[in-house]
Amino acid sequence: MLLRSLLLLLLIAAPTLGRADDGYRLWLKYDQLSDAGLRKAWQGQARGIVLESAATPTLQTAANELQLGLQGLLGQPVAVGNKAGGKGQIRLRVAPNPALGKEGYRVSTQKNGLEITGPTDAAVLYGCYALLRHVQTGQRPGNLSLSSQPRIQYRLLNHWDNPNGTVERGYAGSSMWKWYELPERIDPRYQDYARANASIGINGVVLNNVNASARYLTTEYLQKVAAVAGVLRPYGIKVYLSVLWAAPKVIGGLPTSDPLDPKVKQWWTARTNEIYKTIPDFGGFLVKANSEGEPGPQDYGRNHADGANMLAEALGQHEGVVMWRAFVYKANSKGDRFKEAYQEFQPLDGKFAPKVLVQVKNGPIDFQSREPFHPLFGAMPRTPLVLEVQLTQEYLGFATHLVYLGPLIKECLEADTHTQGPGSTVAKVVDGSLEKHSVSGIAGVANIGSDRNWTGHPVGQANWYAYGRLAWDHTLSSAAISEEWTRMTLTREPTAVASITQVLNQSRNIYVRYTTPLGLHHIMGQSIHYGPEPWLSQSARPDWTSVYYHKADSAGLGFDRTARGSNALALYAPGVRQLWGNPATCPPDYLLWFHHVGWKQQLSTGRTLWNELCTRYYSGADSVLWMQRQWEQAKPALDPELYTDVASRLRIQHREALWWRDACVLYFQTFSRQPLPSGLTPPTRPLTEVKEIVDIYQLR
Ligand code: BDP
């Protein structure tokens, strides 16, 4: 008898007991709150949901999500209806409110219960997610008044996914878009992807790689794109496409793709009209042109504005926009890649049509672990600039290294361009407030793939999350977001939350220290961009080597970008130029970005360059052991499988931090000819052995 009851108990508990957290549910866990008092406090407020406005698909979606979340979190049924019932009803209402802008929400306690309002049904959906976040992070109900509106209008994810299912720079499996199944079969994952995005305010997704296949513009593929758009639409998310500039030639049968050729214009106009017939709320085009071998208007002697404006014209009266990327650089062994995008784009300020936004990477080179802000920010006041950041960790240890990107994104947003006096931050350029633009945008290169946990590294989810939260409100702090994510995704146990968030918050600085301290950049493994290869001196292009960037010699290290060198500093406003132009006032984190510094030169840190460099490489690698200990402290509060997964990745991370440390210290030592500072144990393996690791990894 006793045995039978025990078995029965086990059977009932089985679905939750034995199930490991595979990460699929992301931060939308909705597991029952363990604090009974807290649960009770909310239960009385959430007996039902009442739709006070027309049940559009989006409002219905909002109600369904709220119901799903509250039922899970509170462990009670929550009814959805359109008639006000008794007490504890949450009312959803679409109503204009000038204080909330176009997409803002308000969640408030009213006499007759909670109310979630906003000017559109999507705004109410955002409000529902805000309430769920509030409950899920363990806040008490009290007298609620949560209101927020996005500071940036276009908040996009950019997928670098290809039609064949590969993902450029993707480290989380293959593409989540199953083009071969579409449009007939809709993978249920698409809807969960939409939920995750809507929950953090993302309102647009570019489905395909910037190195684009023309295929997406064919009638066959537009049907597939339309099917995806249909899943995303109720969540307030629009689809966009990257386009291949040469599409008129490749799939249109035209002899040219010259933007000023009337037939080319006609072709794009006809294609665009077909797109809108198939997808009436299509978001627009993203274009990588005349960059890294991609075709573009310059092939016909035209400039970027000619190309972008032609596409804007093709969009005509449709709502969509053109996002034209400024990531361009020519192979120029004498030049400085740092300056190229500026030189091509800045003179075009004021020449772009109103529907065009120019998309600029956070830094001037290419998604390095730390870059100064791109000098185009603030330098094109008549053009809305979209900030592009990379969530997939192409240069930050793929899905192996734990690197929380909140601090990186914030560092760029908070950087002061000084273009209109102090306080002219990149954030104010991007949100349009500094230069009075009515449109604004931000793009994150997605780190999402077909892996069960979406991002490969479980903590990669925090980067998707942080990006969305900052895209919505760039004034949020990176630490507040990491805590919110941890509480929603991993645990609410306070000491575990504290030790995990410390790891997250320090992780980016730690990564920088053991890979590229003091402003070193672009010294990673050739083409795959993984591991150290500072000795790389031959490649298809000089600006794809490492020596181009670090310029180590017997005198010192670093790229002189002052007036004595490439003078890239001249691209910045005087306020920035003065600070960064003087090695004594240049922040050590940016030092080697702008100065060739003598090995024995004393830095503001009190150490010589060589000693500081070694100290950072060593302390960075050691800090990974600290990350391991912190993670271990949180173990009792974590799902065992998830704990083990991250713990083992942290072990790889330490091994590879030593690889970076030894490679760089030994290699730069061949120039500095200095011993390691006292207290640091020299690497036990010679440089030749460390170089072998690279060879094995790249299978060359
Ligand atoms: C570089 C990547 C390359 C991308 C390019 C881009 O290595 O794969 O195509 O950025 O942003 O960092 O276009």
Side-chain angles (χ1 to χ4, degrees):
M1 190 62 192
L2 186 69
L3 196 67
R4 269 188 58 191
S5 335
L6 261 177
L7 269 176
L8 197 68
L9 197 75
L10 263 178
L11 267 179
I12 295 169
T16 45
L17 258 187
R19 198 177 56 197
D21 185 352
D22 61 10
Y24 182 80
R25 293 177 301 156
L26 295 159
W27 47 88
L28 300 175
K29 293 247 154 77
Y30 303 151
D31 287 337
Q32 190 168 312
L33 295 173
S34 51
D35 176 342
L38 186 63
R39 222 162 52 226
K40 194 142 183 271
W42 281 107
Q43 277 169 347
Q45 309 257 343
R47 296 215 168 83
I49 297 164
V50 182
L51 272 69
E52 291 199 337
S53 304
T56 59
T58 298
L59 205 66
Q60 192 62 54
T61 297
N64 294 348
E65 187 74 20
L66 194 57
Q67 178 188 41
L68 179 78
L70 291 174
Q71 290 188 158
L73 288 160
L74 307 181
Q76 71 173 12
V78 178
V80 178
N82 50 17
K83 288 218 178 60
K87 282 194 162 169
Q89 304 296 309
I90 304 175
R91 289 171 297 114
L92 309 189
R93 193 157 59 87
V94 179
N97 180 343
L100 296 177
K102 287 188 189 143
E103 297 175 278
Y105 61 79
R106 191 157 67 100
V107 183
S108 58
T109 311
Q110 304 284 327
K111 266 199 230 82
N112 47 356
L114 287 175
E115 180 186 75
I116 304 178
T117 60
T120 61
D121 46 9
V124 173
L125 174 66
Y126 296 139
C128 290
Y129 280 115
L131 176 61
L132 287 168
R133 192 157 57 228
H134 202 66
V135 181
Q136 199 176 331
T137 51
Q139 319 293 317
R140 308 226 139 240
N143 197 9
L144 262 193
S145 178
L146 307 171
S147 73
S148 180
Q149 56 175 300
R151 290 170 194 269
I152 296 174
Q153 183 185 353
Y154 297 106
R155 304 176 296 278
L156 267 61
L157 275 183
N158 288 184
H159 286 267
W160 284 359
D161 297 21
N162 299 314
N164 66 2
T166 57
V167 179
E168 179 145 352
R169 311 303 180 181
Y171 314 107
S174 48
S175 173
M176 60 173 284
W177 311 119
K178 297 180 176 166
W179 298 110
Y180 50 94
E181 294 181 354
L182 287 160
E184 291 86 359
R185 181 176 179 271
I186 307 283
D187 190 322
R189 191 175 257 253
Y190 305 158
Q191 191 182 355
D192 289 324
Y193 164 85
R195 293 173 54 231
N197 278 335
S199 76
I200 49 177
I202 287 169
N203 63 1
V205 296
V206 182
L207 296 176
N208 63 315
N209 192 359
V210 285
N211 299 318
S213 159
R215 198 178 286 268
Y216 291 95
L217 297 172
T218 61
T219 303
E220 180 198 354
Y221 262 69
L222 289 179
Q223 297 300 325
K224 299 171 188 281
V225 172
V228 175
V231 183
L232 306 188
R233 187 171 295 117
Y235 292 87
I237 301 166
K238 290 184 177 177
V239 300
Y240 297 65
L241 289 174
S242 293
V243 294
L244 174 72
W245 183 258
K249 276 170 80 177
V250 177
I251 55 167
L254 296 181
T256 172
S257 297
D258 180 352
L260 302 191
D261 185 305
K263 289 220 170 59
V264 171
K265 271 192 197 177
Q266 257 169 33
W267 186 86
W268 280 107
T269 309
R271 271 296 88 190
T272 307
N273 289 338
E274 179 171 343
I275 293 176
Y276 278 91
K277 238 178 30 215
T278 325
I279 311 154
D281 56 353
F282 180 68
F285 300 125
L286 175 64
V287 192
K288 171 176 180 177
N290 292 119
S291 164
E292 299 186 327
E294 289 295 323
Q298 291 176 344
D299 304 349
Y300 305 95
R302 317 299 181 194
N303 65 32
H304 289 287
D306 295 328
N309 294 347
M310 186 275 288
L311 281 185
E313 225 178 280
L315 281 166
Q317 296 306 308
H318 302 298
E319 256 206 24
V321 291
V322 178
M323 294 181 176
W324 192 273
R325 295 177 88 227
F327 178 67
V328 297
Y329 58 105
K330 296 216 167 65
N332 178 358
S333 58
K334 299 245 159 24
D336 179 359
R337 176 172 162 190
F338 193 115
K339 303 198 290 189
E340 309 241 356
Y342 185 101
Q343 286 168 339
E344 278 196 46
F345 275 84
Q346 200 286 328
L348 297 177
D349 188 30
K351 305 245 158 61
F352 289 98
K355 272 176 170 292
V356 178
L357 298 94
V358 171
Q359 184 159 315
V360 181
K361 288 189 181 183
N362 58 291
I365 300 296
D366 195 358
F367 296 140
Q368 300 297 292
S369 59
R370 172 167 274 128
E371 296 207 24
F373 71 86
H374 201 299
L376 277 174
F377 290 112
M380 295 185 68
R382 290 188 284 167
T383 313
L385 300 186
V386 175
L387 167 63
E388 179 179 315
V389 293
Q390 194 183 44
L391 310 175
T392 188
Q393 292 170 227
E394 175 182 357
Y395 300 92
L396 286 99
F398 294 4
T400 310
H401 293 224
L402 188 162
V403 186
Y404 168 57
L405 298 176
L408 185 155
I409 302 172
K410 274 296 270 194
E411 191 171 291
C412 176
L413 287 164
E414 283 177 354
D416 193 345
T417 69
H418 283 266
T419 43
Q420 297 192 25
S424 308
T425 59
V426 171
K428 287 187 192 165
V429 174
V430 172
D431 72 15
S433 60
L434 188 73
E435 295 151 351
K436 311 273 175 294
H437 292 298
S438 55
V439 293
S440 56
I442 186 163
V445 179
N447 58 349
I448 303 161
S450 62
D451 277 4
R452 181 70 189 158
N453 74 1
W454 303 86
T455 54
H457 198 305
V459 177
Q461 294 181 1
N463 294 333
W464 180 3
Y465 186 83
Y467 164 72
R469 299 287 285 132
L470 287 172
W472 178 277
D473 183 358
H474 56 68
T475 69
L476 294 174
S477 86
S478 150
I481 297 172
S482 64
E483 177 168 346
E484 193 176 275
W485 176 80
T486 302
R487 292 172 77 86
M488 290 180 76
T489 314
L490 301 178
T491 176
R492 280 190 295 271
E493 200 283 306
T495 53
V497 170
S499 60
I500 295 166
T501 49
Q502 281 172 30
V503 170
L504 262 63
N505 298 342
Q506 297 297 323
S507 58
R508 186 279 191 124
N509 267 340
I510 292 171
Y511 183 84
V512 171
R513 282 175 94 93
Y514 67 74
T515 58
T516 48
L518 293 170
L520 283 172
H521 49 283
H522 210 289
I523 57 170
M524 68 288 154
Q526 173 162 217
S527 69
I528 65 160
H529 300 166
Y530 195 85
E533 205 173 354
W535 45 83
L536 179 68
S537 60
Q538 297 290 321
S539 188
R541 294 172 49 151
D543 50 7
W544 287 348
T545 68
S546 300
V547 298
Y548 175 97
Y549 296 96
H550 63 65
K551 307 228 184 286
D553 56 21
S554 59
L557 180 65
F559 200 132
D560 186 353
R561 292 189 164 107
T562 68
R564 282 183 309 276
S566 79
N567 208 15
L569 266 165
L571 308 183
Y572 290 105
V576 177
R577 220 185 294 158
Q578 272 152 24
L579 191 72
W580 292 354
N582 178 351
T585 56
C586 182
D589 283 339
Y590 294 139
L591 190 63
L592 304 177
W593 272 100
F594 297 109
H595 301 280
H596 190 72
V597 182
W599 292 111
K600 293 186 181 163
Q601 175 78 39
Q602 174 121 354
L603 306 188
S604 57
T605 60
R607 297 193 181 93
T608 63
L609 170 68
W610 170 248
N611 284 355
E612 186 65 42
L613 191 76
C614 295
T615 305
R616 291 192 181 209
Y617 271 116
Y618 271 74
S619 68
D622 286 348
S623 299
V624 182
L625 295 173
W626 169 82
M627 292 167 80
Q628 292 176 356
R629 290 194 296 275
Q630 292 282 113
W631 185 250
E632 202 181 332
Q633 270 173 33
K635 184 175 180 180
L638 294 173
D639 173 88
E641 271 195 24
L642 186 126
Y643 169 80
T644 306
D645 184 356
V646 174
S648 48
R649 285 175 207 264
L650 283 170
R651 285 199 296 278
I652 309 172
Q653 187 167 349
H654 184 244
R655 169 163 52 81
E656 296 188 341
L658 293 177
W659 173 28
W660 269 97
R661 184 197 76 179
D662 291 355
C664 295
V665 166
L666 291 172
Y667 169 73
F668 290 127
Q669 196 172 33
T670 64
F671 298 94
S672 81
R673 306 199 169 277
Q674 302 275 306
L676 255 64
S678 62
L680 302 185
T681 316
T684 50
R685 49 189 172 181
L687 184 56
T688 44
E689 197 181 313
V690 185
K691 284 187 177 178
E692 280 297 306
I693 304 175
V694 180
D695 288 342
I696 293 164
Y697 208 96
Q698 301 214 42
L699 302 175
R700 277 189 277 117

